[in-house]
Amino acid sequence: MMVAHHSDDLVQITEATASDVLGIQNVMQASWQSVYADLLSEEHIARTLRRSFSEAALARSVNHAGATYLVAWVDGEIRGMCHYGSPLLDDCENRKALYSVYVHPDWWQQGIGTALLDVMEAHLRPQRVTDVFTYVDARNTLASTFFTRHGFVHLP
């Protein structure tokens, strides 16, 4: 199990377990509802949350051997999560996909997303990973700004 502390030990990052699924689900749902409320229909948001972020789907994903889920704990609660692993259609060993990073909206701008990326990078460095990519909805300026600030480059 990976454990890291960040920002004066206010944030603790651990690998997720099945018991963390409800906390992960809470963070993902709150983040999606906040970010996409003005970009997507309520129906689309609800359908995505039911399908992709259901308890069963997240439990399968957390236990999947090809990927890693990290959770960020503050005050004993999950406040953020990061999911990364091997790209689905790519067998390049030095490249990984960052599937998602979400922080509960009440905790945005507190360094939690940065802490999650730092721990991911520390985990991938010994594996000689040289390239991490992610997909961001072009309308999601919050995510685009975050990733650009952390060294990601937009590729059209």
Side-chain angles (χ1 to χ4, degrees), residues 76-120:
E77 298 287 330
I78 294 175
R79 308 297 187 183
M81 58 73 57
C82 175
H83 178 210
Y84 60 94
S86 297
L88 297 176
L89 301 174
D90 187 346
D91 61 358
C92 184
E93 291 185 22
N94 65 343
R95 185 177 337 184
K96 297 295 179 188
L98 174 56
Y99 302 121
S100 58
V101 175
Y102 292 106
V103 174
H104 194 284
D106 294 344
W107 290 86
W108 286 349
Q109 304 297 319
Q110 303 296 315
I112 293 171
T114 298
L116 287 161
L117 289 183
D118 289 348
V119 172
M120 177 190 72

Side-chain angles (χ1 to χ4, degrees), residues 32-81:
W32 250 73
Q33 289 167 336
S34 183
V35 168
Y36 291 110
D38 295 333
L39 302 176
L40 302 171
S41 71
E42 285 183 36
E43 179 184 316
H44 182 90
I45 292 170
R47 186 175 54 248
T48 300
L49 294 177
R50 272 192 317 273
R51 184 182 59 230
S52 301
F53 303 150
S54 71
E55 188 176 344
L58 289 172
R60 282 190 305 275
S61 188
V62 165
N63 291 316
H64 189 270
T68 300
Y69 259 94
L70 301 176
V71 288
W73 298 85
V74 179
D75 299 331
E77 298 287 330
I78 294 175
R79 308 297 187 183
M81 58 73 57

Side-chain angles (χ1 to χ4, degrees), residues 87 90 92 94-97 124 128-133 155:
D90 187 346
C92 184
N94 65 343
R95 185 177 337 184
K96 297 295 179 188
L124 294 176
R128 294 184 171 30
V129 171
T130 58
D131 187 28
V132 175
F133 68 91
L155 300 174

